[in-house]
Amino acid sequence: EHGDWSVTEHASITSTMRTDRGITHELVRHRLFSFTQESTRFVNYTKRELEFIEPAFQAPSPLRFSWEALMEEIELRYLDMVGWGANPQQARSILPNSLAATIAVTGNLRNWRHFFLMRTSKETHPDFRRITVPMLEEFKRLIPLLYDDIEPNARQIDNLKKSFLGLGLING
């Protein structure tokens, strides 16, 4: 009611996501969160299946078929490298951003609000939106007071105005 968002900094939520490593690279730019990400350094994918996250292509698409063929080729080359004596840490250098990764993210409610304002917008990468839009809906269900005004597909600049309004930095 008074626009004092400081109280939202006393509660935090941890969310675990399974996405591609390209998206995790964007995610960790939100520096006020805490992260624990699955490492590829010591994972030996000869003992565990390589999992790739398919980009949000419009199916069927020549891009999709090309991507699938490339992932199959990369998996074969990775297995070859390990078979020829490379350790998993060395062989991982050829793995693409499409490699699946699990990441746990912890942040306070205010940081999550800013995150959703930024990462559910029209300009957000489609693969990132695939995760953030359903997450936002769950946050809205659990804590509507803090998240109900955030609309997926809004322009990022319009979302940021909501953020600044909430902080008292600009007038409506």
Side-chain angles (χ1 to χ4, degrees), residues 48-130:
R48 169 180 160 183
E49 182 181 352
L50 271 165
E51 179 187 355
F52 301 108
I53 304 290
E54 183 178 323
F57 294 126
Q58 293 179 348
S61 157
L63 292 173
R64 181 177 186 212
F65 299 121
S66 179
W67 177 85
E68 288 173 351
L70 184 57
M71 294 307 103
E72 289 173 13
E73 183 67 24
I74 287 171
E75 183 170 8
L76 290 173
R77 295 299 144 240
Y78 174 90
L79 296 172
D80 284 347
M81 288 179 72
V82 173
W84 296 329
N87 63 39
Q89 182 173 286
Q90 294 166 319
R92 76 177 177 161
S93 66
I94 67 164
L95 297 176
N97 279 342
S98 292
L99 183 67
T102 300
I103 187 166
V105 183
T106 301
N108 67 46
L109 299 180
R110 186 176 187 168
N111 289 339
W112 280 111
R113 178 176 169 77
H114 179 73
F115 174 77
F116 289 127
L117 288 167
M118 297 292 292
R119 297 301 184 161
T120 61
S121 71
K122 181 180 182 177
E123 298 86 356
T124 301
H125 192 290
D127 294 334
F128 211 165
R129 288 177 43 77
R130 214 167 33 184

Side-chain angles (χ1 to χ4, degrees), residues 153-164:
N153 288 319
R155 290 178 47 228
Q156 193 174 65
I157 189 68
D158 293 333
N159 278 349
L160 286 175
K161 287 177 186 174
K162 290 178 185 179
S163 181
F164 294 138

Side-chain angles (χ1 to χ4, degrees), residues 2-73:
H2 297 284
D4 184 1
W5 284 87
S6 65
V7 296
T8 64
E9 295 173 4
H10 295 280
S12 64
I13 292 178
T14 299
S15 178
T16 303
M17 306 169 209
R18 185 88 173 150
T19 187
D20 71 54
R21 294 188 70 79
I23 296 303
T24 67
H25 296 331
E26 289 188 42
L27 180 57
V28 299
R29 294 181 52 99
H30 294 271
R31 300 184 199 296
L32 296 177
F33 285 122
S34 297
F35 304 98
T36 300
Q37 184 171 347
E38 175 183 27
S39 172
T40 59
R41 187 171 178 200
F42 300 110
V43 176
N44 185 339
Y45 291 106
T46 65
K47 299 177 181 175
R48 169 180 160 183
E49 182 181 352
L50 271 165
E51 179 187 355
F52 301 108
I53 304 290
E54 183 178 323
F57 294 126
Q58 293 179 348
S61 157
L63 292 173
R64 181 177 186 212
F65 299 121
S66 179
W67 177 85
E68 288 173 351
L70 184 57
M71 294 307 103
E72 289 173 13
E73 183 67 24

